[in-house]
Amino acid sequence: MALKIINTCVNCYACEPLCPSQAIYKAEAHFLINPRKCTECEGDFEEAQCASICPIEGAILDKFGLAINPPGSLTGIPPERMAEVMAELQAH
Amino acid sequence: MELPVLNDQPASKGGCSASSCGTTDDQLDHLTDEIRAKVQNHPCYSEDAHHYFARMHVAVAPACNIQCHYCNRKYDCANESRPGVVSELLTPDQAVKKTMAVAANIPQMTVLGIAGPGDPLANPEQTFETFRQLSQDAPDIKLCVSTNGLALPASVEELSKHNIDHVTITINCVDPEVGAKIYPWIFWENRRIKGIEGAKILIEQQQKGLEMLVAKGILVKVNSVMIPGVNDKHLAEVSRIVKSKGAFLHNVMPLIAEAEHGTFYGVMGQRGPTPDELMELQDSCSGDMNMMRHCRQCRADAVGMLGEDRGDEFTMDKIEDMEIDYQAAMEKRKVIHQAIEAEMNSKREAKSATLAKQVAEEKLTTRPVLMAVATSGQGVINVHFGHAKEFLIYEASPEGVRFISHRKTDLYCGGDETCGDGESVLQQTIRALAGCETVLCSKIGYEPWEMLEQAGIMPNGEHAMEPIEEAVMAVYKEMAKAGKLDEIKPEQRATA
């Protein structure tokens, strides 16, 4: 039972001090969660703290490997709009 | 302590409105002597000082506790110069070393700010450790901090312990419904709170923080991002409220939004304001508030004079090798600062005298004109049109000359044409000068001359190396004499 930070993490440090289990640590490329320490904040907070402050959609996964903050949920940008604009920029 | 209310007179449009007659490019004119003494060598607070003094930001604060629709935490583009962007994150120890290295090598550096790339007060340990060390080791450097305000009330006590006499709060709204269109979420009391509820808490904390700082005697500047259709109509009210609570300066900045920045506004096609819209809003706020008009919206790791960035000279690997004798540097800095202040004062006096004379000579009754000036500082026209990275915009009218704004020519991006829509640099520049009737520069080539003329902007290279205000007034008088300016009827002038 543990959350996971993946490589879209931008190293903003916001999550690290919030973790009640000190499970988050800075690794070479980006922050990681020690799965042996992570409690998903159970018993401490109603919501997982790292996933509640993380500004990057998709960077933190739940125990099933699903994004806790899926595309569009934090920025408000509809994913199809984002895809359209990025394709347009690539074409230039 | 209650700060005095500034600029109590209602604004009349024209020379004497946003600032007083004479040295009209200097936003410090309305300040009390006490505040003026605190900010006169602060490059961010006056157009005048920023040509003489330098500032730097250290990027020690990566975390943020809110999301703004004009910000994207993902990108660090080397070509970009805008808030929130940074190349190298520093520890407090590194930041202190960098600050002292810059202060020793650029003696004009008077101010150290912490502005991000996240929110300084969402990283209290790093921010306050940097301030603690610098207050102790480099007491001649002014410290300032820029925040979104959410964590401000909890930080005021600690802020008041250091050498900090200025805090900037970014306040884009006082209405949670407007706020919900700018801030998708905040992180507050261990929860992510979205929409109106989040915006309401943010606004409450900003206003409370503002009041607490003022009560402590700490100067507060308020920054606002002007977002057309979202908060543009609302910002005059923001200006009125923050002034009534004691903020000493209001800085309305244009939204920067490009799709390639990946921000909500950029991707959704929200446009920024035109220079005209920005100027109109700044003018409408100026009746209630001392307005700041020369902000260059610099990066969270900028080093040097406003609008320039010497950060590359002070990367951590270069600093590691530098030996710094700060005591010796401080002696040198003191002498240089005194010389600069003396020069600024004498120039200011000379300018007031000249302008007073010009105004006294003959009273024109012609309409105001906007003019663009190519300058690299020192108050003179000294840049070739084609080399200008920005233009300063002045308004000439029978009341005198006043500084209005600056306009960048590279539109916030130093990249090549693949970065934009293929429009030539010259076309971009001419577009940036919309609304101006004349452009004053030291020299100009044949091709741009023709294109400017076609666009209805008259190039003028006859005043190279002359003081800006004098040259602008001279050109204005020539235009009046040549019959190019309509007379304003007395009743129009009264209401204009």
Side-chain angles (χ1 to χ4, degrees), chain B residues 370-386:
Chain B
L370 290 183
M371 299 189 197
V373 174
T375 175
S376 62
Q378 316 305 316
V380 294
I381 298 163
N382 56 2
V383 173
H384 188 295
F385 179 82

Side-chain angles (χ1 to χ4, degrees), chain B residues 43-109:
Chain B
C44 302
Y45 290 139
S46 93
E47 179 59 30
D48 200 18
H50 105 260
H51 290 303
Y52 296 93
F53 292 109
R55 56 80 187 93
M56 68 181 287
H57 288 164
V58 285
V60 296
C64 198
N65 47 13
I66 70 172
Q67 176 70 52
C68 304
H69 272 329
Y70 44 74
C71 182
N72 173 5
R73 302 304 315 284
K74 272 184 214 170
Y75 296 134
D76 162 29
C77 171
N79 284 331
E80 272 180 46
S81 183
R82 64 185 165 92
V85 174
V86 43
S87 300
E88 191 180 35
L89 192 67
L90 305 178
T91 65
D93 288 347
Q94 288 175 321
V96 168
K97 184 145 198 212
K98 178 173 178 177
T99 305
M100 290 169 70
V102 172
N105 285 286
I106 307 180
Q108 306 96 304
M109 200 279 275

Side-chain angles (χ1 to χ4, degrees), chain A residues 12 49 51-52 54 73 75 81, chain B residues 62-63 69 190 192 194 264 267:
Chain A
C12 83
Q49 293 298 287
S52 296
C54 180
S73 65
T75 59
R81 171 73 186 165
Chain B
H69 272 329
N190 300 98
R192 194 189 312 263
K194 295 185 178 178
F264 175 87
V267 172

Side-chain angles (χ1 to χ4, degrees), chain B residues 97-409:
Chain B
K97 184 145 198 212
K98 178 173 178 177
T99 305
M100 290 169 70
V102 172
N105 285 286
I106 307 180
Q108 306 96 304
M109 200 279 275
T110 50
V111 172
L112 179 277
I114 299 184
D119 187 79
L121 303 182
N123 305 257
E125 280 175 35
Q126 291 90 330
T127 296
F128 291 128
E129 179 58 24
T130 308
F131 284 153
R132 252 193 303 277
Q133 289 191 33
L134 284 172
S135 298
Q136 198 184 329
D137 299 341
D140 65 334
I141 297 175
K142 284 177 193 284
L143 306 176
C144 54
V145 62
S146 180
T147 177
N148 62 43
L150 183 61
L152 186 54
S155 309
V156 168
E157 193 56 41
E158 178 76 27
L159 283 169
S160 68
K161 287 183 195 156
H162 304 292
N163 213 0
I164 298 162
D165 42 22
H166 319 83
V167 172
T168 298
I169 315 174
T170 299
I171 300 180
N172 295 318
C173 54
V174 290
D175 174 351
E177 288 193 22
V178 176
K181 295 178 192 160
I182 302 170
Y183 308 105
W185 57 264
I186 68 166
F187 182 80
W188 178 250
E189 292 179 346
N190 300 98
R191 283 198 306 139
R192 194 189 312 263
I193 302 175
K194 295 185 178 178
I196 292 178
E197 193 195 343
K200 185 166 176 281
I201 296 166
L202 176 63
I203 290 166
E204 283 166 3
Q205 296 303 307
Q206 290 171 336
Q207 295 296 321
K208 191 172 160 198
L210 166 60
E211 289 165 19
M212 288 170 73
L213 287 169
V214 171
K216 285 263 184 202
I218 298 174
L219 293 183
V220 181
K221 177 178 113 227
V222 169
N223 277 354
S224 300
V225 180
M226 178 183 182
I227 310 155
V230 174
N231 70 348
D232 49 343
K233 302 276 185 292
H234 181 57
L235 283 179
E237 191 189 352
V238 171
S239 205
R240 188 180 54 74
I241 289 173
V242 300
K243 172 226 172 187
S244 74
K245 292 190 177 176
F248 86 107
L249 193 60
H250 190 196
N251 176 23
V252 177
M253 305 173 294
L255 170 71
I256 302 173
E258 302 289 340
E260 54 267 37
H261 296 162
T263 60
F264 175 87
Y265 287 143
V267 172
M268 299 307 280
Q270 167 70 48
R271 70 174 180 91
T274 63
D276 278 356
E277 288 170 334
L278 179 67
M279 192 173 79
E280 201 178 306
L281 177 63
Q282 287 174 333
D283 282 345
S284 78
C285 292
S286 69
D288 287 322
M289 189 67 195
N290 214 29
M291 298 299 291
M292 171 161 163
R293 292 170 183 268
H294 67 274
C295 174
R296 304 299 199 273
Q297 295 174 281
C298 54
R299 288 164 59 114
D301 58 0
V303 173
M305 300 285 193
L306 289 192
E308 74 166 15
D309 193 349
R310 296 177 59 180
D312 289 349
E313 296 168 42
F314 300 96
T315 53
M316 264 341 281
D317 54 330
K318 289 178 187 160
I319 288 164
E320 296 295 350
D321 299 332
M322 292 183 191
E323 286 287 331
I324 302 148
D325 177 352
Y326 200 75
Q327 278 306 318
M330 234 177 356
E331 295 292 318
K332 190 173 133 200
R333 286 164 52 75
K334 195 173 167 192
V335 174
I336 290 173
H337 292 175
Q338 282 168 347
I340 295 175
E341 273 167 34
E343 190 192 331
M344 277 174 72
N345 285 335
S346 76
K347 279 213 173 144
R348 193 181 287 139
E349 279 162 25
K351 200 160 75 178
S352 305
T354 318
L355 288 164
K357 209 174 101 203
Q358 280 177 340
V359 172
E361 269 172 16
E362 51 176 314
K363 192 81 175 171
L364 294 168
T365 51
T366 39
R367 66 174 171 83
V369 170
L370 290 183
M371 299 189 197
V373 174
T375 175
S376 62
Q378 316 305 316
V380 294
I381 298 163
N382 56 2
V383 173
H384 188 295
F385 179 82
H387 298 164
K389 289 187 186 137
E390 64 169 8
F391 291 87
L392 300 190
I393 310 298
Y394 286 82
E395 182 197 71
S397 76
E399 310 300 328
V401 177
R402 69 171 177 138
F403 174 71
I404 298 285
S405 66
H406 67 97
R407 293 190 194 162
K408 289 195 183 196
T409 54

